[in-house]
Amino acid sequence: MYDPTVARLTYRALLGRRRALILGALPLLLIIIAVAVRGLVGADDQTAADVLGGLALATMVPIIGVIAGTGAIGPEIDDGSVVYLLSKPLKRPTIIYTKLIVAIGVTMAFSAVPTFIAGLILNGNGQQVAVAYTVAALVASIAYAALFLLLGTVSRHAVVFGLVYALVWEALFGSLVPGARTLSVQQWALAVGHKVTDGDLVTSDVGLTTATVLLIVVTVLATWYAGQKLRTLTPTGDE
């Protein structure tokens, strides 16, 4: 289910100079903003929750998920280099599982870690806000990586579709249309994070049980379908 060679090639593709700069830009911006807010406002729990919820979980985590998830396989399909992998005696689901593990690891590293650091800067983890949003970021990283890996497998415009989902559906419609929040990875992750806090600074419109089930179902189905889609690719690179 995991191939070290595929993992090494995927890490190299995701952490190349250009993509690494993009991946590191948002976490750096989050930490800079956290330092500025702490200097201007001081240690305030509500402000910390607002910054971590609005900037970290709602913006940074999905964008990093788009970059890592689609970048794990999309470019290889686009330029035809996926033929190298398909010509090897590897089960195609193994390729997908390996790339998913790498995408999850990269997404977690570039989103959950800076979220925790920013939370400590903002209020020193008062009311467990930093930990709650870090847990939410970790959970969201898994679902986002699976969803966007699937997009990278089925579409040449995966980055565009991923950004539309992350920034339009979740950020815009999710804030304006209550029903849309039920189909939001962000809300599912917040439901998990809510269980960590001491109060109501982290809230979700979705119950914990429903959120957990949806997170598992979406991750499993997206991974399974990505594996099935990869099966349809021939060693010549034609679908």
Side-chain angles (χ1 to χ4, degrees):
M1 302 299 287
Y2 179 85
D3 185 84
T5 301
V6 175
R8 184 173 64 253
L9 293 172
T10 306
Y11 274 118
R12 185 180 301 171
L14 287 179
L15 300 179
R17 182 179 301 177
R18 181 180 175 184
R19 194 166 271 117
L21 288 174
I22 298 174
L23 285 169
L26 281 175
L28 179 60
L29 178 61
L30 173 66
I31 292 174
I32 291 173
I33 291 175
V35 172
V37 171
R38 176 62 184 264
L40 293 171
V41 180
D44 182 77
D45 295 342
Q46 185 61 59
T47 300
D50 292 341
V51 172
L52 295 180
L55 181 57
L57 191 63
T59 303
M60 183 186 71
V61 179
I63 290 178
I64 290 177
V66 170
I67 297 171
T70 61
I73 195 169
E76 291 177 316
I77 293 177
D78 291 342
D79 63 21
S81 61
V82 72
V83 173
Y84 170 79
L85 291 178
L86 300 182
S87 64
K88 300 298 179 181
L90 291 172
K91 293 182 179 180
R92 299 191 181 186
T94 297
I95 297 174
I96 290 296
Y97 297 145
T98 302
K99 288 182 173 293
L100 175 62
I101 291 171
V102 173
I104 290 173
V106 170
T107 305
M108 286 181 172
F110 283 89
S111 61
V113 174
T115 295
F116 182 67
I117 294 173
L120 292 180
I121 293 172
L122 286 164
N123 76 332
N125 194 35
Q127 295 195 55
Q128 297 293 308
V129 170
V131 172
Y133 276 103
T134 299
V135 170
L138 289 170
V139 171
S141 294
I142 300 173
Y144 282 134
L147 278 174
F148 298 136
L149 179 65
L150 171 60
L151 278 178
T153 307
V154 302
S155 174
R156 293 181 180 273
H157 307 289
V159 174
V160 175
F161 291 140
L163 291 175
V164 167
Y165 172 81
L167 301 180
V168 177
W169 177 263
E170 292 209 340
L172 181 59
F173 284 95
S175 62
L176 298 176
V177 184
R181 298 170 189 166
T182 305
L183 300 177
S184 167
V185 173
Q186 177 188 340
Q187 291 296 321
W188 304 341
L190 283 171
V192 178
H194 173 69
K195 301 302 293 184
V196 180
T197 60
D198 297 328
D200 295 323
L201 289 174
V202 182
T203 60
S204 173
D205 292 331
V206 182
L208 179 61
T209 301
T210 301
T212 303
V213 171
L214 289 173
L215 283 166
I216 294 173
V217 169
V218 166
T219 301
V220 170
L221 286 181
T223 305
W224 172 81
Y225 189 70
Q228 295 303 307
K229 181 63 177 177
L230 197 63
R231 287 177 184 273
T232 67
L233 295 178
T234 66
T236 61
D238 297 325
E239 295 186 43

